[in-house]
């Protein structure tokens, strides 16, 4: 180790860097070993204040033009401009929608790869992929304009499965580049919302076109109207949420199985000292699905035993973790900010990465240990010589997976003396979705959203929150996620969660039915205990935010809570966001009618007029709007205030008064 020690410029303070015991332990361990992590780099390097405010334009070589706000704010006319004359609003809007383009591209390209593999599977061209959930295929087919029945001699019968699958696959793949028409999935939204989109002129045509058009419009000297720029940003974000992401989720469910609630563990403590530990990290489940199957094969388990291990422990990081968790119960080892720490345990025999949210520094960390870092995707390679590239190909997917698992097993014996796995882990129930919420909350007689709506109307459940998104090394790791979620459920707001937020909730024991008794207000607690669900429902990865859109649509359809998503007592949140994908998600939530609060900061502070457009004017257009609140308790209460406002508008605020308890009541119940 000694010769591998890096020079860490400044050390992070572990206890202020994260609320997790395991993360703190591993930060200290890394520092002891002289291995630098993101937490140290975050105290060494400060972010650029002008970039943070969204007012640095580097879209041409006359710049970068930086337009800082005057010290005493804008008095009178805002005269700031770049060399070409671009105003702060134009620059800020351009930067903002370029983030949407980046995010929508990432999610949607994932969806595209899934669609291509799905079509190949339907045609029987790739033998390792099959249709696992024909019921879901037949459910979604009509949304793709594909008929599921056929009339033969006057008798209506189901169409051939293969035929339907091929037709759905062909329509799906075409959604990225069809020359005419609009995205099919848009039709899944409530009609009033579709009408708003039509009125605003933001209905997406095809996924690629909306992203390309952002790059064109934000090129030097094209679109110079922040409202018009934002219109395109909205259109591309909808092409993500109601397009690429939704298709990705649909077809993954059909190919790999629609998740149903299952039990699993979470946190770095899931790694085992006496097992071969393989960590899958990234986003696309195409390869990780195969790795799960390979790691469970008796042949490879026996092989691991022949090398002195007791078996193979698979675990995940980031959204690949959520994908294999929700379908197979593979435990997540951690969130985005824990990726380096998984290697620093010294017990990670292979880390297999695909795309997105992968630190370049993993290669430096892996160098200090025996870990084989394996890149697998043609579009995401690392230049460092210690990184192995095994390019994954769906035509020989299982073969690739077996090869990777074998490499990990062979590497087991190379472990050094420096193994230290934190003991901490929690149990959780994950794998919820539109279908299982229907089943669990609908009861056995009425498998729909009526019971959920009923409990919202009678006030036991105050409202619905979607808490999603990343970690950000500029905020205390997992603190905002956990504080906000706890505050929401304490106030009877049921939480739907995805992405790293969901992993954090799982790690902190909030995704268990038992947590209702500990953390929930009396109304939500009663509902959770009656139907046996956790107050925080894990809905999967970030592309699965499309599940939240569809769940909200089901709630609208079930009736009694207005006609559109914006009428619902609901709010969205990304407490520790950092990626462009989060901005795309935020915008499609806003444009779908959801009041959406981000933590940390928003890169719009430098252009107050554009900021107001997002925070205020959007509501008149779509019913949803942006907000930002770094303080987690205030953040939760802004969401709750919005939920209460909606309850009042629906005339159901009185119902809730009956179940409201004051502090003394709560103390009497031992709940405070
Ligand atoms: Ni979402 Fe998932 Fe995590 Fe953020 Fe990255 S893993 S796609 S972007 S960091 S939640």
């Amino acid at each position: 180790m000694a010769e591998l020690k890096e020079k860490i410029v400044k050390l992070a303070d572990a206890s202020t860097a994260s609320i997790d015991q395991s993360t703190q332990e591993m930060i200290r361990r890394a520092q002891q070993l002289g291995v630098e992590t993101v937490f140290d780099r975050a105290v060494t390097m400060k972010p650029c204040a002008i970039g943070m405010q969204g007012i640095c334009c580097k879209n041409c070589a006359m710049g970068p033009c930086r337009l800082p706000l005057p010290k005493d704010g804008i008095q009178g006319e805002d005269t700031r401009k770049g060399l070409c004359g671009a105003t702060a609003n134009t620059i800020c809007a351009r930067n903002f929608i370029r983030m949407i383009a980046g995010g929508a591209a990432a999610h949607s390209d994932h969806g595209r790869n899934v669609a291509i593999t799905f079509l190949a599977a339907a045609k029987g061209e790739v033998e390792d992929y099959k249709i696992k959930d024909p019921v879901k295929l037949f459910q979604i087919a009509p949304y793709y304009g594909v008929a599921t029945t056929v009339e033969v001699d006057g008798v209506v019968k189901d169409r051939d499965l293969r035929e339907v699958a091929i037709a759905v696959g062909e329509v799906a793949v075409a959604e990225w580049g069809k020359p005419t028409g609009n995205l099919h999935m848009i039709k899944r939204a409530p009609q009033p919302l579709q009408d708003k989109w039509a009125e605003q002129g933001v209905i997406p045509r095809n996924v690629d076109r909306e992203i390309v058009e952002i790059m064109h419009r934000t090129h030097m000297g094209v679109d110079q109207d922040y409202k018009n720029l934002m219109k395109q940003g909205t259109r591309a974000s909808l092409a993500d949420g109601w397009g690429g992401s939704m298709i990705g989720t649909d077809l993954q469910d059909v190919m790999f199985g629609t998740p149903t609630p299952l039990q699993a563990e979470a946190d770095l403590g899931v790694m085992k000292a006496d097992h071969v530990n393989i960590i899958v990290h990234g986003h696309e489940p195409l390869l990780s699905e195969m790795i799960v199957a390979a790691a469970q094969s008796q042949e490879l388990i026996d092989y691991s035993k022949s090398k002195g291990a007791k078996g193979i422990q698979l675990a995940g990081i980031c959204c690949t973790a959520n994908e294999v968790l929700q379908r197979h119960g593979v435990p997540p080892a951690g969130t985005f900010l824990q990726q380096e720490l998984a290697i620093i345990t010294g017990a990670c025999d292979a880390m297999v990465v695909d795309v997105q949210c992968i630190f370049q520094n993993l290669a430096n960390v892996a160098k200090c240990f025996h870990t084989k870092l394996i890149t697998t995707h043609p579009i995401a390679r690392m230049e460092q010589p210690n990184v192995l590239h095994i390019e994954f190909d769906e035509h020989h997917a299982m073969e690739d997976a077996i090869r990777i698992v074998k490499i990990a097993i062979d590497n087991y014996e190379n472990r050094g003396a420096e193994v230290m796995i934190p003991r901490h882990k929690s149990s959780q129930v994950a794998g919820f979705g539109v279908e299982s919420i229907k089943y669990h909350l609908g009861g056995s007689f009425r498998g729909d959203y009526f019971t959920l709506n009923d409990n919202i109307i009678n006030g036991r459940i105050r409202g619905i929150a979607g808490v999603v998104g990343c970690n950000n090394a500029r905020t205390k790791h997992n603190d905002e996620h956990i504080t906000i979620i706890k505050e929401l459920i304490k106030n009877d707001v049921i939480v739907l969660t995805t992405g790293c937020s969901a992993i954090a909730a799982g790690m902190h024991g909030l995704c268990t039915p038992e947590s209702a008794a500990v953390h929930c207000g009396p109304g939500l607690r009663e509902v959770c205990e009656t139907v046996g669900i956790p107050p925080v429902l894990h809905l999967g990865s970030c592309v699965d935010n499309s599940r939240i859109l569809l769940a909200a649509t089901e709630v609208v359809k079930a009736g009694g809570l207005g006609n559109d998503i914006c009428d619902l007592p609901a709010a969205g949140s990304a407490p520790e966001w950092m990626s462009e994908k989060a901005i795309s998600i935020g915008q499609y939530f806003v444009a779908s009618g959801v009041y959406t609060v981000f933590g940390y900061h928003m890169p719009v502070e430098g252009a107050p007029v554009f900021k107001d457009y997002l925070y205020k004017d959007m509501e008149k257009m779509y019913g949803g709007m942006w907000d930002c609140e770094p303080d987690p308790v205030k953040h939760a209460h802004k969401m709750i205030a919005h939920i209460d406002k909606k309850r009042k508008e629906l005339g159901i605020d009185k119902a809730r008064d009956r179940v409201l308890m004051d502090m003394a009541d709560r103390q009497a119940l031992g709940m405070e």
Side-chain angles (χ1 to χ4, degrees):
M1 280 300 296
E3 73 279 10
L4 293 171
K5 274 200 178 190
E6 296 178 285
K7 197 172 174 308
I8 306 178
V9 184
K10 261 191 193 172
L11 295 181
D13 172 24
S15 53
T16 55
S18 174
I19 57 164
D20 306 345
Q21 211 180 310
S22 58
T23 303
Q24 291 178 5
E25 264 173 46
M26 290 315 296
I27 293 172
R28 292 192 190 102
R29 175 67 173 161
Q31 293 171 346
Q32 196 183 39
L33 295 172
V35 180
E36 184 200 78
T37 66
V38 60
F39 299 98
D40 302 316
R41 292 190 291 281
V43 290
T44 308
M45 186 199 277
K46 292 288 162 219
C48 161
I50 295 170
M52 262 183 91
Q53 294 174 51
I55 37 172
C56 170
C57 181
K58 52 182 180 57
N59 295 8
C60 91
M62 297 194 292
C65 293
R66 310 193 316 160
L67 273 58
L69 274 171
K71 280 221 167 53
D72 46 353
I74 310 235
Q75 314 289 338
E77 204 190 333
D78 185 354
T79 54
R80 294 173 295 160
K81 47 172 120 63
L83 257 64
C84 69
T87 63
N89 291 321
T90 302
I91 290 172
C92 199
R94 280 178 180 162
N95 289 334
F96 195 77
I97 73 168
R98 277 203 172 193
M99 292 184 85
I100 293 177
H107 282 144
S108 301
D109 222 23
H110 167 166
R112 181 207 316 266
N113 290 337
V114 171
I116 290 171
T117 306
F118 177 85
L119 180 56
K123 289 181 174 169
E125 294 167 0
V126 285
E127 59 182 46
D128 297 329
Y129 298 91
K130 302 264 178 311
I131 307 292
K132 266 204 193 152
D133 191 344
V135 175
K136 178 138 186 177
L137 174 66
F138 275 68
Q139 266 166 11
I140 61 165
Y143 297 117
Y144 292 74
V146 172
T148 53
T149 52
V150 62
E151 205 181 308
V152 184
D153 301 331
V155 183
V156 178
K157 15 178 255 181
D158 273 353
R159 268 179 89 190
D160 174 57
L161 175 76
R162 184 165 181 266
E163 231 178 78
V164 174
I166 293 174
V168 166
E170 278 168 350
V171 173
V173 170
E175 289 296 85
W176 273 265
K178 62 186 179 189
T180 53
N182 295 326
L183 283 187
H184 285 280
M185 296 303 111
I186 294 299
K187 294 263 175 257
R188 290 167 91 163
Q191 191 58 48
L193 184 54
Q194 292 182 45
D195 295 343
K196 281 178 198 140
W197 292 336
E199 194 189 321
Q200 296 298 330
V202 296
I203 295 185
R205 295 154 292 185
N206 71 55
V207 177
D208 287 351
R209 179 171 184 181
E210 306 313 349
I211 295 164
V212 169
E213 194 170 307
I214 286 185
M215 298 314 284
H216 181 189
R217 287 203 202 195
T218 56
H219 182 277
M220 195 274 143
V222 187
D223 206 345
Q224 299 163 20
D225 172 354
Y226 69 89
K227 292 183 187 166
N228 206 41
L229 284 160
M230 205 45 224
K231 183 169 150 180
Q232 185 55 23
T234 302
R235 185 144 59 171
S237 75
L238 293 174
D240 172 357
W242 295 89
S245 285
M246 197 170 278
I247 297 169
T249 299
D250 269 353
L251 301 186
Q252 284 174 183
D253 282 357
V254 175
M255 257 194 301
F256 306 136
T258 304
T260 50
L262 43 70
Q263 208 153 15
E265 294 181 319
D267 212 339
L268 287 165
V270 303
M271 295 173 74
K272 294 194 182 116
D274 53 7
H275 280 56
V276 174
N277 290 298
I278 305 175
I279 302 269
V280 287
H281 170 21
H283 286 77
E284 290 184 3
L286 292 172
L287 170 63
S288 49
E289 274 288 323
M290 296 298 125
I291 292 188
V292 173
Q296 287 170 349
S297 76
Q298 198 52 48
E299 199 189 327
L300 287 177
I301 294 172
D302 290 344
Y303 184 56
S304 76
K305 289 182 180 162
S306 77
K307 297 286 176 174
K310 288 212 170 116
I312 305 168
Q313 176 64 50
L314 198 59
I317 298 269
C318 284
C319 282
T320 290
N322 288 322
E323 298 285 2
V324 289
L325 163 68
Q326 65 182 341
R327 296 194 182 89
H328 303 285
V330 171
T335 61
F336 173 68
L337 282 183
Q338 290 165 287
Q339 53 186 289
E340 293 165 309
L341 307 181
I343 298 179
I344 292 164
T345 59
C348 176
D349 302 302
M351 182 177 275
V352 189
V353 303
D354 52 86
V355 288
Q356 302 166 27
C357 300
I358 296 149
F359 285 176
Q360 185 157 358
N361 197 56
L362 285 183
N364 296 329
V365 178
K367 236 186 265 173
C368 306
F369 298 87
H370 79 301
T371 306
K372 292 269 185 236
L373 181 58
I374 306 171
T375 54
T376 57
H377 209 289
I379 70 160
R381 297 190 63 153
M382 292 180 175
E383 59 179 344
Q384 289 90 327
N386 65 319
V387 180
L388 209 61
H389 184 73
I390 298 179
E391 199 152 303
F392 164 68
D393 184 324
E394 59 271 21
H395 294 93
H396 40 77
M398 199 57 199
E399 209 180 300
D400 296 336
I402 291 171
R403 189 171 155 212
I404 288 169
V405 173
K406 275 196 175 149
I407 289 173
I409 296 171
D410 289 336
N411 198 28
Y412 176 73
E413 62 189 15
N414 298 327
R415 276 197 203 164
E418 54 278 335
V419 171
M420 193 190 110
I421 302 172
R423 286 237 285 277
H424 194 78
K425 60 180 174 182
S426 298
S427 62
Q428 61 171 335
V429 177
F432 285 90
V434 179
E435 300 81 359
S436 53
I437 295 176
K438 198 180 260 187
Y439 173 75
H440 279 272
L441 279 165
S444 41
F445 297 112
R446 202 191 263 276
D448 67 18
Y449 276 64
F450 182 81
T451 316
L452 173 62
N453 285 30
D454 211 27
N455 278 303
I456 296 173
I457 293 165
N458 69 28
R460 280 192 196 93
I461 296 178
R462 189 171 189 161
I464 307 168
V467 184
V468 307
C470 328
N471 286 145
N472 187 321
R474 301 294 178 198
T475 71
K476 188 171 188 174
H477 173 238
N478 286 349
D479 187 22
E480 282 79 354
H481 286 303
I482 300 308
T483 309
I484 289 168
I485 293 175
K486 280 188 178 165
E487 197 62 27
L488 289 168
I489 59 177
K490 186 171 103 182
N491 286 283
D492 292 322
V493 175
I494 191 166
V495 173
L496 312 182
T497 181
T498 60
C500 288
S501 189
I503 300 177
M507 281 165 45
H508 286 265
L510 299 175
C511 297
T512 60
E514 297 73 34
S515 69
V518 185
H519 298 291
C520 289
L524 181 59
R525 175 182 171 170
E526 192 187 329
V527 174
C528 290
E529 286 180 343
T530 308
V531 294
I533 55 161
V536 181
L537 302 178
H538 189 313
L539 265 75
S541 68
C542 284
V543 296
D544 294 328
N545 281 321
S546 59
R547 297 192 203 277
I548 300 184
L549 296 176
L550 293 176
T553 304
E554 290 293 326
V555 174
V556 172
K557 277 196 218 152
L561 291 170
N563 301 316
D564 199 352
I565 294 177
C566 66
D567 297 330
L568 303 176
S573 160
E576 302 176 25
W577 80 278
M578 63 85 205
S579 78
E580 292 171 323
K581 290 179 284 179
I583 294 289
S584 180
I585 294 166
Q587 183 57 34
Y588 73 63
F589 267 97
V590 166
S592 300
V594 181
Y595 169 60
T596 303
V597 192
F598 270 37
Y600 182 41
H601 87 105
M602 282 284 285
V604 296
E605 290 299 326
V609 175
F610 177 60
K611 179 183 163 185
D612 274 358
Y613 188 62
L614 296 182
Y615 285 39
K616 294 183 183 144
D617 300 354
M618 285 271 146
E619 189 178 11
K620 293 176 215 120
M621 298 154 72
Y622 304 108
M625 64 290 198
W626 285 88
D627 205 346
C628 178
E629 178 52 64
D631 179 285
V633 175
K634 285 189 197 151
H635 185 118
H637 282 279
K638 279 187 157 186
M639 297 168 74
I640 294 166
H642 179 80
I643 285 168
D644 286 349
K645 181 177 112 183
K646 291 293 167 184
R647 294 190 68 87
K648 195 160 183 206
E649 283 171 16
L650 288 164
I652 55 171
D653 50 327
K654 299 287 177 294
R656 191 166 158 81
D657 286 341
R658 288 203 291 274
V659 296
L660 261 185
M661 304 176 95
D662 64 21
M663 193 67 85
D665 291 333
R666 296 171 70 88
Q667 273 161 353
L669 284 171
M671 299 186 68
E672 282 295 329

